[in-house]
Amino acid sequence: MKKSLTIHDIAKMAEVSSATVSRVLSNSSYPVSPELRAKILRIAKEANYVPNMLGKQLKTRTSMTIGVVIPSITNLFYSSIILGVEEIARKSNYQVLLCNSFQDPELEDKAIHAMFEKQVRGLVISSISSDKKQLKHFIDMGLNVVALDQKVEMEDVTQVDFDYRKGGYIAARHLIGKGHRNIAYVTAPLDRPSRKSICEGYAAAMDEAGLQPSVVEAGSETTYSGAYEFENGKALTRKLLAEGGDRPTAVFACNDMTAFGVVNELAAQGLKVPDDVSVIGFDGLDIGQMITPPLTSVLQPTYEMGRLACTMLLDMLTGGKKPDVGIVLQPRLLERESVADLLVGG
Amino acid sequence: MKKSLTIHDIAKMAEVSSATVSRVLSNSSYPVSPELRAKILRIAKEANYVPNMLGKQLKTRTSMTIGVVIPSITNLFYSSIILGVEEIARKSNYQVLLCNSFQDPELEDKAIHAMFEKQVRGLVISSISSDKKQLKHFIDMGLNVVALDQKVEMEDVTQVDFDYRKGGYIAARHLIGKGHRNIAYVTAPLDRPSRKSICEGYAAAMDEAGLQPSVVEAGSETTYSGAYEFENGKALTRKLLAEGGDRPTAVFACNDMTAFGVVNELAAQGLKVPDDVSVIGFDGLDIGQMITPPLTSVLQPTYEMGRLACTMLLDMLTGGKKPDVGIVLQPRLLERESVADLLVGG
DNA sequence: CTGTTAGCGCGTTCAG
DNA sequence: CTGAACGCGCTAACAG
């Protein structure tokens, strides 16, 4: 990096002190005569002066950057969240330091550490780490944290939550309302609270209707990509169909990518959706309306979640006020065309 | 932010000078007695010392962060690239500052400016701005830049390029090889070099085979999301089918999301893919194999592009060597099931 | 209104 | 081998 101009350099050019230059160029409210101001502005512009934020940040102890840690950016669910975060951040002149944790607690911890060293003012995180000791320490040191997606059971962590249980309940209710009685739930490993909650909602709705829940769970996962979830959906469907007994009339998948796998495997086995088997997903990704048939799903407002999380974080940073209560976003059924109504013409 | 420990604080605790602490904690090659080293390390650990990188960066003039500027992270094409960039960066202890430009030159310029102020050591960029004055200036100041996806015609900008023309050619050749003669190309506005190149490749293959090219181009775009491209695909297909004359037996779309729209609109009009009309996309997104029928496409190795771009950037940073020649990645046909072979049973 | 001075936290001469 | 002193680029306190 070539040595670039400093305020001292342009102070010399303008024949003033560097303090005055600083006052002008950093829009200080401190009074400076209009003539000097104009002169300094002109010279700085002519010389293509670009301030070095490191100096400023070191002095002012504030960095105008926030960190975002999520499992994987290629997951449409998370990329949409990040888009929301980044947009809100940008509007307040913050920038985003991004890290993919790949569901690896060690990577997550390292990323948070590095971000803290770089003096990020806050963090938006979908944390997968079970050991929150480090995070707790940083929070005690003054780091502001907003958790998303994955619940962080810790005081001083503001939560943007989603009612997964109700989402699971809504999906199952929808299927039951359409006359389905044999409804299977296929899911990635139930090792995360969010997934457990969806499953509980599903089971509650089934119980309530006097139906027998039937859960097919995947073995523990290694990666965390859409392709993995898709394959998972296929594998779980094979398992489900191979089980013998009555074939379910509807399958509820723990997320949309998995649902795509279900639809695909069903088709591979000669079963039509929704004519032979209905499928419902979870997430409500845009891409769901682009497949055939368009996937009925439970909407999680990812973009808004991102925006909301970032807004809350910025509030904490500027106001210093910790929202005393977290927010729980509500699920909404996204009815498209992958669920058959068994009560019509049945 | 609560005031945190500095090297001076732990220097006092260890009853040594801050210089010694610095030497130990920053792994300097400077000799320090083993006893002191151990003592300092122990005390720093006990006190949960976390270095402030701003001080270090200011002093050493190097920041261990790179910037990435792309149109939109919710576009699977770019999120995959970023994943590659971030992974390589992380392995060299760099972090990534991310910005979505939304195809807005002004946002792009502002983001680059802010990143430069924050002393990023380099940039990976898919630039949409036509005015590269600012970028050129920063490069002259020592910023290292690797361009991706969108060609930046500028010396000192290393390019990770892709042979779009050949990709267009390959796709058209594939269709022709399968016996198609009436092949339409539907595309987003041809205002970007990459899109023009694909179209040229298509036209060249058609000419070569003595066929008449038929291009349907969209009006200028406003947003840049997958949903937009999908809708675009639908709209262009409607336009195509409404044109009268012979209906094409195959449609080539400028990217996969657009192809999804084409497939969807075809279905909406009662046309089956590939039985009635064949469709081929461009990008080779994973998601393409999850729809029905799986989309034949031209593969752009996005993840590898990201990895490669970041590797080249890091080489420039460490070695100071500017690769004297850019790289042109080659397209590859991804044959799936959305193209019918007209020569069999035809 | 303007300039001088003193750090922010760190790494790095240069003496000892 | 160790420490005192200086400076990275910038802002803030205090004089003038």
Side-chain angles (χ1 to χ4, degrees):
Chain A
M1 207 66 149
K2 207 175 296 180
K3 189 182 175 332
S4 48
L5 293 175
T6 74
I7 47 172
H8 298 99
D9 295 323
I10 71 151
K12 268 181 204 155
M13 301 186 205
E15 296 171 310
V16 295
S17 78
S18 57
T20 308
V21 175
S22 168
R23 296 198 262 255
V24 171
L25 295 181
S26 61
N27 288 317
S28 161
S29 62
Y30 209 92
V32 174
S33 74
E35 300 83 47
L36 269 192
R37 177 178 298 276
K39 181 178 183 184
I40 290 171
L41 250 20
R42 182 176 52 77
I43 292 185
K45 175 136 196 173
E46 282 174 6
N48 271 317
Y49 168 74
V50 178
N52 182 334
M53 284 304 175
L54 296 182
K56 179 185 186 122
Q57 291 169 15
L58 183 59
K59 178 69 188 177
T60 59
R61 301 161 157 289
T62 184
S63 74
M64 288 294 146
T65 110
I66 63 174
V68 174
V69 181
I70 42 84
S72 172
I73 194 179
T74 48
N75 187 311
L76 284 166
F77 179 77
Y78 292 113
S79 63
S80 176
I81 288 177
I82 296 175
L83 192 74
V85 171
E86 201 261 340
E87 178 162 348
I88 295 297
R90 176 162 38 75
K91 285 184 177 160
S92 296
N93 290 113
Y94 277 80
Q95 284 194 308
V96 169
L97 216 41
L98 174 75
C99 183
N100 300 100
S101 70
F102 299 101
Q103 307 249 80
D104 178 342
E106 195 181 335
L107 281 186
E108 180 180 313
D109 263 24
K110 277 190 185 165
I112 296 175
H113 194 92
M115 287 173 173
F116 190 73
E117 286 183 340
K118 286 185 182 166
Q119 312 299 110
V120 295
R121 293 208 58 204
L123 226 52
V124 173
I125 185 170
S126 166
S127 174
I128 200 58
S129 170
S130 50
D131 177 14
K132 314 284 193 204
K133 222 179 70 194
Q134 180 190 244
L135 189 59
K136 170 140 187 49
H137 175 234
F138 287 153
I139 290 171
D140 289 342
M141 304 270 297
L143 184 66
N144 290 101
V145 177
V146 174
L148 210 60
D149 179 39
Q150 295 308 308
K151 190 127 186 166
V152 173
E153 298 287 1
M154 200 185 297
E155 33 176 359
D156 293 331
V157 172
T158 307
Q159 188 83 30
V160 172
D161 219 337
F162 180 77
D163 197 336
Y164 289 101
R165 191 177 192 285
K166 190 185 285 181
Y169 181 84
I170 286 176
R173 281 299 308 164
H174 179 66
L175 262 12
I176 294 167
K178 293 288 184 184
H180 295 270
R181 300 190 57 77
N182 187 349
I183 303 169
Y185 180 60
V186 302
T187 179
L190 295 170
D191 55 3
R192 287 160 56 164
S194 57
R195 289 175 185 160
K196 268 202 201 102
S197 299
I198 297 174
C199 192
E200 283 168 18
Y202 155 78
M206 294 295 278
D207 279 347
E208 205 176 280
L211 301 174
Q212 181 67 31
S214 149
V215 176
V216 187
E217 182 182 355
S220 68
E221 61 207 322
T222 47
T223 58
Y224 197 67
S225 68
Y228 167 78
E229 293 176 320
F230 177 74
E231 290 303 330
N232 219 18
K234 297 191 63 158
L236 291 170
T237 304
R238 275 194 298 274
K239 196 169 158 190
L240 178 68
L241 294 178
E243 270 180 354
D246 285 352
R247 190 216 304 150
T249 63
V251 179
F252 173 19
C254 65
N255 60 46
D256 283 354
M257 293 309 270
T258 302
F260 293 166
V262 173
V263 170
N264 187 285
E265 183 62 28
L266 253 17
Q269 305 222 6
L271 267 15
K272 277 208 178 353
V273 176
D275 303 347
D276 300 321
V277 182
S278 292
V279 176
I280 190 168
F282 202 99
D283 279 352
L285 301 181
D286 274 348
I287 193 96
Q289 66 190 349
M290 306 182 195
I291 69 164
T292 314
L295 184 72
T296 293
S297 187
V298 175
L299 179 68
Q300 275 197 77
T302 49
Y303 177 64
E304 283 72 19
M305 282 169 74
R307 290 172 58 95
L308 193 57
C310 194
T311 303
M312 291 171 82
L313 182 60
L314 294 182
D315 281 352
M316 290 162 73
L317 296 186
T318 57
K321 54 183 171 192
K322 306 233 181 198
D324 45 9
V325 63
I327 285 188
V328 180
L329 291 168
Q330 296 300 306
R332 189 162 66 75
L333 185 74
L334 219 56
E335 195 169 354
R336 294 200 279 233
E337 299 164 30
S338 62
V339 172
D341 189 343
L342 264 36
L343 302 178
V344 210
Chain B
M1 207 65 150
K2 208 174 296 182
K3 188 182 175 331
S4 49
L5 294 174
T6 75
I7 48 172
H8 298 98
D9 295 322
I10 72 152
K12 271 180 200 154
M13 301 186 204
E15 295 170 309
V16 295
S17 78
S18 56
T20 309
V21 175
S22 167
R23 296 200 258 256
V24 171
L25 263 24
S26 61
N27 289 315
S28 162
S29 62
Y30 208 92
V32 175
S33 74
E35 301 83 47
L36 270 191
R37 176 178 296 276
K39 182 178 182 184
I40 291 171
L41 249 21
R42 181 175 53 75
I43 292 185
K45 174 137 198 173
E46 283 173 5
N48 272 317
Y49 168 75
V50 178
N52 182 333
M53 285 305 176
L54 295 182
K56 181 188 184 114
Q57 291 169 16
L58 183 56
K59 181 66 189 177
T60 59
R61 299 159 162 290
T62 181
S63 74
M64 288 294 141
T65 110
I66 63 173
V68 174
V69 180
I70 42 84
S72 172
I73 194 178
T74 49
N75 187 312
L76 284 165
F77 179 78
Y78 292 113
S79 64
S80 176
I81 288 177
I82 295 175
L83 192 73
V85 172
E86 202 262 339
E87 179 162 346
I88 294 297
R90 177 162 37 74
K91 286 184 178 161
S92 296
N93 290 112
Y94 277 80
Q95 285 194 308
V96 169
L97 217 42
L98 174 75
C99 183
N100 300 99
S101 71
F102 298 101
Q103 307 249 81
D104 178 342
E106 194 181 336
L107 281 187
E108 179 181 312
D109 262 25
K110 277 189 184 166
I112 296 175
H113 194 93
M115 287 173 173
F116 189 73
E117 286 182 341
K118 286 186 180 164
Q119 313 299 111
V120 295
R121 293 208 57 205
L123 226 53
V124 173
I125 185 171
S126 167
S127 174
I128 201 57
S129 171
S130 50
D131 177 13
K132 315 282 192 204
K133 221 179 74 196
Q134 180 189 244
L135 190 58
K136 170 138 187 50
H137 176 233
F138 288 153
I139 290 171
D140 288 343
M141 304 270 296
L143 184 67
N144 290 101
V145 176
V146 174
L148 209 58
D149 178 39
Q150 294 308 310
K151 189 126 188 167
V152 174
E153 299 287 1
M154 201 184 297
E155 35 176 358
D156 293 331
V157 171
T158 306
Q159 189 85 28
V160 173
D161 218 338
F162 180 76
D163 197 335
Y164 289 100
R165 191 178 193 285
K166 190 185 284 181
Y169 182 84
I170 286 177
R173 280 300 308 166
H174 178 65
L175 261 13
I176 294 167
K178 294 286 185 185
H180 294 271
R181 300 190 57 78
N182 187 348
I183 303 170
Y185 180 62
V186 303
T187 178
L190 294 172
D191 54 3
R192 287 160 55 165
S194 57
R195 290 175 184 159
K196 268 202 202 101
S197 299
I198 297 175
C199 193
E200 283 167 18
Y202 154 78
M206 294 295 278
D207 279 348
E208 205 176 280
L211 301 173
Q212 181 67 29
S214 150
V215 176
V216 187
E217 181 183 355
S220 68
E221 61 206 324
T222 48
T223 58
Y224 196 67
S225 68
Y228 167 78
E229 292 175 322
F230 177 74
E231 288 305 330
N232 220 17
K234 296 190 63 157
L236 291 170
T237 303
R238 276 194 297 275
K239 196 169 159 191
L240 179 67
L241 294 178
E243 270 179 353
D246 286 351
R247 189 215 306 149
T249 63
V251 178
F252 173 21
C254 65
N255 60 46
D256 282 355
M257 294 307 272
T258 302
F260 293 166
V262 172
V263 170
N264 187 285
E265 183 62 28
L266 252 17
Q269 305 223 5
L271 266 16
K272 278 208 179 348
V273 176
D275 303 347
D276 298 322
V277 182
S278 293
V279 176
I280 191 167
F282 202 99
D283 279 352
L285 302 181
D286 274 348
I287 194 95
Q289 67 189 349
M290 307 183 194
I291 70 164
T292 313
L295 184 71
T296 293
S297 188
V298 175
L299 178 68
Q300 274 196 77
T302 50
Y303 177 64
E304 282 71 21
M305 281 169 73
R307 291 173 56 96
L308 193 57
C310 193
T311 303
M312 292 170 81
L313 181 60
L314 294 182
D315 281 352
M316 289 162 73
L317 296 186
T318 57
K321 55 182 169 192
K322 306 235 179 196
D324 45 9
V325 63
I327 285 188
V328 180
L329 291 168
Q330 295 300 306
R332 187 161 67 74
L333 186 73
L334 219 56
E335 193 168 355
R336 296 200 279 233
E337 299 165 29
S338 61
V339 171
D341 189 342
L342 264 35
L343 302 178
V344 211

